[in-house]
Amino acid sequence: MSKYNKGLIYKNISGNTAQVLIDVRENISGQLYYISICNTHDTEDAYVDLYFSKDVSEDYFEHRRNFDEEDSLNFDEATKQYQTYYMAKNLLVENGNTLILDNEDIIPYDNSQYSLYIKLLNGSSTIDVIMKQDIKL
């Protein structure tokens, strides 16, 4: 789960499994305008994927129902369909360095439709992510 503090979101990321930075179900109060990705590994460079993803399973299965003779379709986690849009793919963050994405780099997105994910290429990579958002009062 994310830690929130005055518009800041903190995450420690390790391993090569995609991890949610901001889930579609988390109602953030404003747009992101800053992301810091710090490579915290002692010796290794980190390669990072940063992307938006939307679950379109219901649309997909509704389309299939319209053209399928079967009355029932199996619907489980393995058959989910996603739309994915990469902000960065295999982006190098060298050992001991920090990558800063500011409001000119970050694409505004609809958090009610899309989740923000990060994935590391190498399973032994470690990074810290700090994000800032506009606070709407």
Side-chain angles (χ1 to χ4, degrees):
M1 190 68 171
S2 301
K3 295 180 188 175
Y4 293 88
N5 182 14
K6 297 182 182 179
L8 295 175
I9 303 167
Y10 306 90
K11 291 273 195 166
N12 303 110
I13 308 294
S14 61
N16 60 354
T17 301
Q19 296 187 35
V20 177
L21 292 177
I22 300 177
D23 191 76
V24 70
R25 294 174 298 252
E26 293 181 54
N27 186 16
I28 66 170
S29 60
Q31 285 293 326
L32 289 176
Y33 67 92
Y34 173 94
I35 300 174
S36 167
I37 302 172
C38 178
N39 183 346
T40 58
H41 196 277
D42 290 334
T43 59
E44 200 173 276
D45 292 342
Y47 290 88
V48 177
D49 292 347
L50 189 63
Y51 59 93
F52 305 108
S53 186
K54 177 181 180 180
D55 181 355
V56 293
S57 301
E58 289 183 30
D59 296 338
Y60 171 77
F61 283 102
E62 186 60 34
H63 176 76
R64 290 268 319 264
R65 274 188 204 93
N66 291 336
F67 295 100
D68 229 344
E69 298 282 328
E70 297 177 14
D71 290 332
S72 65
L73 295 171
N74 291 331
F75 183 76
D76 60 20
E77 196 65 34
T79 58
K80 283 193 170 189
Q81 301 290 312
Y82 293 93
Q83 286 179 338
T84 301
Y85 302 98
Y86 285 88
M87 194 168 12
K89 181 122 173 105
N90 294 326
L91 181 65
L92 172 63
V93 182
E94 294 177 340
N95 167 264
N97 285 302
T98 300
L99 172 71
I100 304 293
L101 302 172
D102 61 18
N103 60 349
E104 292 183 12
D105 302 311
I106 299 171
I107 301 164
Y109 75 103
D110 183 357
N111 178 246
S112 68
Q113 298 287 317
Y114 294 90
S115 295
L116 179 63
Y117 286 84
I118 195 161
K119 184 175 187 288
L120 305 176
L121 180 65
N122 192 329
S124 62
S125 295
T126 59
I127 62 171
D128 286 344
V129 178
I130 300 173
M131 298 172 284
K132 288 183 185 178
Q133 62 179 337
D134 285 328
I135 298 295
K136 295 180 181 176
L137 301 175

